[in-house]
């Protein structure tokens, strides 16, 4: 979804068929993506194809963590609300990076994506841990 809202028809131009696909995946970076039409439609279509969905890449782009509750409310709360509302989602990957540091090291233009390391803000860290305590999530060893 972070590559733009191209619609399902355009995405299906590259779909090899259910017999070749085990999981469907989408990326979520911007706060507005969780309420956009395409991610929900994507999950519904995955359900029709009987495929689990993984959020393959996600990060609190342009929000970061350093505004505590405001950061949580702006990006993390809608993100986890989207996951809770979509039973098709069976896995997610969160990129816990300081984007400015990696932008400089790797030569990419991520310098304005902010510091998205959950452990860098006590409020975000506590709320994240509380979210992970939900029985919705399985953890290593579960």
């Amino acid at each position: 979804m972070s590559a733009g809202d191209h619609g399902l028809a355009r995405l299906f131009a590259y779909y090899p068929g259910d017999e070749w696909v085990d999981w469907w995946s989408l990326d979520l970076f911007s706060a507005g993506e969780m309420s956009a039409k395409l991610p929900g439609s994507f999950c519904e279509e995955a359900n029709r194809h009987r495929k689990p969905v993984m959020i393959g890449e996600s990060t609190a782009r342009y929000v970061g963590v350093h505004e505590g509750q405001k950061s949580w409310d702006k990006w993390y709360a809608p993100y986890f609300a989207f996951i809770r509302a979509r039973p098709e989602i069976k896995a997610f990957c969160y990129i816990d990076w300081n984007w400015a540091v990696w932008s400089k090291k790797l030569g990419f233009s991520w310098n304005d994506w902010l510091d998205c390391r959950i452990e860098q803000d006590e409020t975000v860290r506590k709320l994240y841990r509380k979210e992970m305590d939900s029985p919705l999530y399985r953890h290593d060893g579960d």
Side-chain angles (χ1 to χ4, degrees), residues 44-82:
E44 290 164 11
E45 191 65 27
N47 188 45
R48 281 192 280 281
H49 286 258
R50 298 178 186 243
K51 301 296 179 185
V53 173
M54 171 180 29
I55 300 173
E57 290 187 331
S58 61
T59 198
R61 178 173 62 184
Y62 307 132
V63 174
V65 299
H66 290 295
E67 293 189 275
Q69 187 67 50
K70 187 176 176 182
S71 295
W72 184 265
D73 293 343
K74 189 170 183 180
W75 193 89
Y76 297 89
Y79 178 75
F80 288 116
F82 180 75

Side-chain angles (χ1 to χ4, degrees), residues 97-108:
W97 271 16
N98 183 339
W99 288 91
V101 168
W102 287 102
S103 174
K104 187 175 181 179
K105 284 184 181 184
L106 300 174
F108 288 99

Side-chain angles (χ1 to χ4, degrees), residues 138-142:
R138 280 190 63 178
H139 306 283
D140 189 35
D142 286 354

Side-chain angles (χ1 to χ4, degrees), residues 74-142:
K74 189 170 183 180
W75 193 89
Y76 297 89
Y79 178 75
F80 288 116
F82 180 75
I83 290 172
R84 286 191 302 278
R86 305 300 331 183
E88 305 87 0
I89 298 174
K90 304 297 183 190
F92 75 89
C93 298
Y94 178 81
I95 304 170
D96 191 64
W97 271 16
N98 183 339
W99 288 91
V101 168
W102 287 102
S103 174
K104 187 175 181 179
K105 284 184 181 184
L106 300 174
F108 288 99
S109 59
W110 306 319
N111 58 310
D112 59 348
W113 286 25
L114 303 178
D115 187 350
C116 297
R117 294 174 296 164
I118 291 168
E119 69 277 10
Q120 293 301 305
D121 182 86
E122 189 64 18
T123 300
V124 172
R125 186 186 66 77
K126 284 180 179 179
L127 290 167
Y128 180 82
R129 284 191 173 191
K130 182 179 178 187
E131 178 69 28
M132 290 300 104
D133 284 342
S134 167
L136 177 63
Y137 305 104
R138 280 190 63 178
H139 306 283
D140 189 35
D142 286 354

Side-chain angles (χ1 to χ4, degrees), residues 5-59:
D5 188 346
H6 299 294
L8 289 177
R10 186 162 176 202
L11 296 175
F12 267 98
Y14 301 95
Y15 191 64
D18 288 342
E19 65 273 18
W20 301 102
V21 175
D22 293 323
W23 286 75
W24 286 27
S25 181
L26 66 145
D27 298 338
L28 296 173
F29 293 128
S30 297
E33 291 174 328
M34 277 65 92
S35 60
K37 181 182 176 187
L38 185 58
S41 298
F42 182 88
C43 289
E44 290 164 11
E45 191 65 27
N47 188 45
R48 281 192 280 281
H49 286 258
R50 298 178 186 243
K51 301 296 179 185
V53 173
M54 171 180 29
I55 300 173
E57 290 187 331
S58 61
T59 198

